């Protein structure tokens, strides 16, 4: 993303951008650097709870009565961890 050349009409953020698709057949979408965001999340999770920049996950109980303990963050873990 750092080497990407900005074009008129695009919106940019930290390792993401929304391309200008007004005069094209493309649909509006966000392009982002997934590896950069995974690195960011890993850094936040590795920081001790209570320290500046730390990230913690909510909850101690399952979301649904039929869900097993710890299942509420499985999708997040599958996206954040390498395959």
């Amino acid at each position: 993303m750092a080497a990407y050349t900005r074009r008129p009409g695009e919106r940019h953020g930290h390792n993401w951008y929304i391309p200008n698709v007004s005069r094209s057949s493309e649909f509006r979408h966000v392009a982002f650097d997934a590896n950069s965001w995974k690195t960011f999340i890993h850094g936040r999770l590795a920081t001790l709870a209570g320290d500046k920049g730390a990230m913690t996950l909510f909850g101690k109980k399952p979301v649904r009565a039929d869900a097993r303990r710890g299942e509420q963050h499985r999708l997040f873990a599958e996206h954040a961890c390498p395959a």
Side-chain angles (χ1 to χ4, degrees), residues 12-80:
H12 288 258
H14 183 65
N15 291 315
W16 63 267
Y17 74 96
I18 301 173
N20 182 6
V21 296
S22 61
R23 295 181 184 217
S24 71
S25 61
E26 290 185 61
F27 56 90
R28 190 169 181 181
H29 62 280
V30 176
F32 64 96
D33 183 350
N35 289 330
S36 173
W37 282 104
K38 287 181 183 183
T39 300
F40 177 82
I41 294 297
H42 285 220
R44 304 293 71 77
L45 291 172
T47 304
L48 293 175
D51 285 356
K52 187 176 180 178
M55 177 182 175
T56 58
L57 300 177
F58 66 88
K60 295 181 181 178
K61 297 180 181 177
V63 175
R64 300 182 312 269
D66 62 335
R68 294 176 293 191
R69 187 166 184 78
E71 292 292 311
Q72 64 217 28
H73 300 297
R74 178 176 297 284
L75 181 61
F76 174 78
E78 288 173 1
H79 286 284

